[in-house]
Amino acid sequence: MPAKLYIPLEIISSILDHLPSKDLRLLRTVSKTFLHLINPRVFSEIKLYFRANRYFDKQLILIKSFSSSSTTVCSFVTIVRKITLSSIHDSGKRDHNFSIDGEVLKAITSEHLAPFLARLQNLETVDWNHQTSDEPSLYLIAVSQSLSFLPKLRNVAITLDCDHCDFISLENQKLPPLHTFKNLSSLSISCSEEIPRGYCNQEIATAIAASLNLTRLSLKNRFQARYITEKCSSLQSFLGNATSPQLTQLELHQIPLPAVGLDQTLLYKLKSLTISTWYDSRVLGFACAKFFTTLEEIGVELSQLSVTGMEAGMDEMFSYLISYADGLEILEIRHIKMDSENLEESAGRRFWDQIVPHHKNSLKTLVVMPNFEGAWCYGPMFAAAIQQCFLLRNLTIAVRRVDSAWAEAKISLASANKEVQYVYLGEPYGLAENSAALILNDFPQPLAQLTLITTSESRTRTGDMWPAEWERRTRIIENLNRLILGLRATSLAADGVLKNWPLKVLVNGYPYAFQLRRSVWMDVSGVDDGDKWQYQRGDNEWS
């Protein structure tokens, strides 16, 4: 008989790491060895998405099997995604409308869901989605208590989906209790309306105060209209009872930030900051200028900064960013819209002339998204600044019309000796869509990803010109895609031309990415024209 083939467990484990969940579940039945190897991979992350629909019976069988005393999966679960329990499901079709009696849900919660959660002694992360419009409140306390007593639970994310609720009545809704949670490392609260003040103070602030080693905090009010923030507590109120917070990552979206008490609230250990407000955030209780002044005074040196709607504190933000050398790896400034075009132009010029060069030795990701064309967009100042950033790997920048003489000089330099060909280059060369060709010559090192976006013309500040503006931006996007597909470069291109082309290019508003690939081309007579590099359409980035 031929000898049995022996494969080391290390190799088998490596193979299993690359298999999809469906195949792993089939392999569990091969042997006890495979069972022990696969169980941690299959059950380390589970979803408890329990809704009233046609699959209700299957979901019930699953939750019953999980809660059984004979189950072996509990010790493997470290992440639970999408804890959702809904009594009503409306798919839009009469035959597919389902509902579950409240007593049935109460029995499911008390007999199966809560006991199962209580057995997850190795659970580290939970993602809880609560839909206030159609989820019964009767299960909230049981689930919360089961989770809060787990010894290894450190990361909690709560999403409050109240899109169908009256905004004013949200304060009277029963929400997931948090006051019994403690020793968390990460806490995230996201609400589709405004987080009620009572919930902020009694539940969220209590959990924060009981988590001395909390390092990551995310608080989001996701309402779409420009409401004045009246219900939600301020950041100072959230952190006021925290004895010794260790926050290194802070994310705030539409959270009030008054000036009083900022110096006692912000921490010098902070490394990652994401803060988002609406334009004209001054009416929402955000002390933008004082915020960045305080960061500078207490000596915070961020490695990541992402801001939206902080135009009222732009000068102070720039002063803060210049206060420490290098260290900033990720900088994102989105939806820039200042009070006047002159202020915006001045800030854009200062940004490229001072801020980017100041962090040139550490910057790896840069996102600049203005609402209007101008100095913040692609142009000579951008090119001069970006050529100094040798570590930059990801860039998002808005395109605009530039000086044609400057653009022609760049095109001539790149296409010298036929090293680069521009098949669909438009004229005059300063057109916004030609930025896709011009920008390729500006990088000292190849980017992993370049994202090009369109933005509104500055003349649209004063009136509603959206239909015409939409047509203009759609035309630019189409021409950008066409130009990118028409770029060609020989494999013998000189240093600084081909080797620094981004590996992937995205155009905002177009779902497919363009990947840089080598291919063989024929000339018009059918003769082999040699290897050329070009961009080809890749996968749908939104699928």
Side-chain angles (χ1 to χ4, degrees):
M1 293 181 61
K4 291 183 178 180
L5 178 63
Y6 172 76
I7 303 177
L9 287 179
E10 293 80 3
I11 296 179
I12 295 177
S13 296
S14 180
I15 295 173
L16 294 177
D17 289 338
H18 293 81
L19 292 180
S21 179
K22 181 180 179 181
D23 293 338
L24 289 174
R25 288 196 296 269
L26 292 174
L27 285 174
R28 290 179 67 236
T29 61
V30 171
S31 67
K32 289 185 177 181
T33 300
F34 271 83
L35 182 68
H36 293 308
L37 287 173
I38 293 174
N39 270 348
R41 291 172 168 83
V42 172
F43 297 111
S44 63
E45 181 174 335
I46 64 173
K47 291 184 179 180
L48 296 177
Y49 197 68
F50 202 71
R51 299 185 63 86
N53 55 31
R54 66 177 65 184
Y55 305 109
F56 175 77
D57 291 338
K58 292 183 178 179
Q59 296 171 5
L60 184 57
I61 292 173
L62 179 64
I63 196 66
K64 284 183 176 180
S65 66
F66 277 171
S67 62
S68 171
S69 59
S70 61
T71 185
T72 59
V73 306
C74 293
S75 61
F76 304 119
V77 179
T78 59
I79 301 175
V80 173
R81 302 288 188 196
K82 301 289 184 184
I83 294 184
T84 303
L85 188 64
S86 179
S87 60
I88 302 173
H89 174 71
D90 184 0
S91 65
K93 298 181 180 179
R94 181 176 300 176
D95 294 339
H96 294 165
N97 292 342
F98 297 87
S99 63
I100 305 175
D101 183 75
E103 291 301 318
V104 174
L105 284 178
K106 183 177 181 180
I108 292 173
T109 302
S110 60
E111 297 176 14
H112 303 293
L113 181 58
F116 168 67
L117 292 174
R119 297 178 60 198
L120 302 181
Q121 295 298 299
N122 292 319
L123 185 66
E124 300 173 358
T125 301
V126 64
D127 183 356
W128 189 350
N129 285 25
H130 179 62
Q131 298 181 339
T132 58
S133 58
D134 60 2
E135 285 193 21
S137 59
L138 52 88
Y139 84 107
L140 293 176
I141 295 178
V143 171
S144 178
Q145 289 180 344
S146 297
L147 292 173
S148 63
F149 291 111
L150 295 176
K152 296 185 179 180
L153 184 62
R154 294 293 180 267
N155 309 299
V156 174
I158 306 289
T159 300
L160 305 176
D161 184 1
C162 33
D163 290 335
H164 302 358
C165 286
D166 185 347
F167 171 71
I168 299 177
S169 67
L170 184 59
E171 285 193 330
N172 301 321
Q173 297 284 333
K174 291 186 178 180
L175 303 175
L178 290 174
H179 62 272
T180 56
F181 285 80
K182 57 185 178 181
N183 298 326
L184 298 179
S185 298
S186 173
L187 177 61
S188 173
I189 309 295
S190 178
C191 183
S192 60
E193 295 294 345
E194 190 174 359
I195 308 173
R197 189 179 302 274
Y199 189 69
C200 294
N201 297 335
Q202 298 170 18
E203 304 292 342
I204 302 175
T206 302
I208 293 175
S211 303
L212 299 182
N213 294 319
L214 189 71
T215 59
R216 300 182 300 277
L217 177 62
S218 175
L219 303 169
K220 298 180 182 178
N221 289 314
R222 295 182 285 111
F223 49 76
Q224 297 301 313
R226 288 170 170 79
Y227 298 133
I228 295 178
T229 306
E230 296 176 340
K231 307 291 183 182
C232 184
S233 295
S234 66
L235 177 65
Q236 290 89 323
S237 297
F238 281 112
L239 299 179
N241 296 323
T243 305
S244 179
Q246 305 292 321
L247 288 180
T248 59
Q249 298 181 27
L250 180 62
E251 183 176 9
L252 304 174
H253 185 78
Q254 294 288 77
I255 302 298
L257 203 67
V260 178
L262 272 178
D263 52 344
Q264 285 84 35
T265 303
L266 298 177
L267 307 167
Y268 72 93
K269 294 183 179 181
L270 201 62
K271 290 298 180 183
S272 174
L273 174 64
T274 299
I275 184 164
S276 177
T277 74
W278 285 108
Y279 167 71
D280 197 16
S281 59
R282 287 160 287 190
V283 303
L284 297 174
F286 292 88
C288 302
K290 177 63 175 177
F291 179 81
F292 286 108
T293 300
T294 304
L295 288 179
E296 181 176 352
E297 289 174 350
I298 62 180
V300 174
E301 296 187 0
L302 295 173
S303 60
Q304 175 180 351
L305 174 62
S306 177
V307 298
T308 303
M310 300 294 284
E311 288 82 1
M314 190 69 74
D315 287 341
E316 289 77 9
M317 181 176 71
F318 285 172
S319 297
Y320 162 68
L321 290 175
I322 295 177
S323 68
Y324 66 102
D326 297 323
L328 189 65
E329 298 181 2
I330 300 175
L331 177 58
E332 301 175 349
I333 307 179
R334 303 175 186 272
H335 304 300
I336 305 164
K337 182 182 178 182
M338 302 188 72
D339 290 339
S340 71
E341 185 175 355
N342 289 337
L343 285 174
E344 200 164 297
E345 288 293 293
S346 176
R349 288 191 292 269
R350 185 183 177 191
F351 179 77
W352 297 118
D353 184 54
Q354 299 180 18
I355 308 304
V356 173
H358 191 75
H359 293 277
K360 62 184 179 181
N361 294 325
S362 58
L363 203 58
K364 297 179 181 178
T365 297
L366 178 62
V367 176
V368 182
M369 300 175 61
N371 280 6
F372 301 100
E373 292 183 349
W376 288 91
C377 302
Y378 176 75
M381 294 192 69
F382 159 88
I386 220 69
Q387 288 171 4
Q388 304 176 51
C389 301
F390 284 87
L391 297 180
L392 192 66
R393 295 290 290 161
N394 297 283
L395 172 67
T396 298
I397 190 68
V399 300
R400 63 154 179 169
R401 181 184 286 269
V402 297
D403 179 72
S404 290
W406 178 75
E408 184 175 359
K410 291 177 69 68
I411 295 293
S412 300
L413 178 64
S415 57
N417 302 320
K418 298 182 179 180
E419 290 168 346
V420 179
Q421 300 174 19
Y422 304 102
V423 179
Y424 300 117
L425 197 65
E427 292 186 358
Y429 289 150
L431 291 173
E433 46 264 48
N434 288 341
S435 298
L438 300 173
I439 198 171
L440 298 181
N441 306 315
D442 293 330
F443 306 117
Q445 296 292 332
L447 299 181
Q449 179 172 306
L450 167 66
T451 302
L452 302 175
I453 66 171
T454 58
T455 189
S456 300
E457 290 185 305
S458 57
R459 62 192 178 94
T460 61
R461 284 177 176 269
T462 58
D464 184 9
M465 305 176 64
W466 182 242
E469 181 63 20
W470 176 260
E471 292 179 3
R472 183 190 73 89
R473 293 172 68 168
T474 301
R475 184 183 69 252
I476 292 176
I477 290 173
E478 293 174 350
N479 290 337
L480 281 169
N481 296 332
R482 188 165 175 262
L483 189 145
I484 291 170
L485 290 173
L487 293 171
R488 308 281 189 271
T490 66
S491 56
L492 300 178
D495 288 351
V497 179
L498 173 61
K499 78 171 186 178
N500 294 342
W501 281 17
L503 302 179
K504 179 193 291 187
V505 178
L506 294 172
V507 177
N508 187 42
Y510 186 71
Y512 296 95
F514 298 99
Q515 302 280 354
L516 183 62
R517 294 169 181 162
R518 174 183 285 178
S519 57
V520 177
W521 283 82
M522 302 290 180
D523 62 16
V524 292
S525 61
V527 178
D528 185 352
D529 199 24
D531 287 349
K532 290 190 184 298
W533 289 87
Q534 69 170 120
Y535 286 101
Q536 298 178 4
R537 195 178 77 169
D539 298 332
N540 189 328
E541 292 291 303
W542 305 101
S543 61

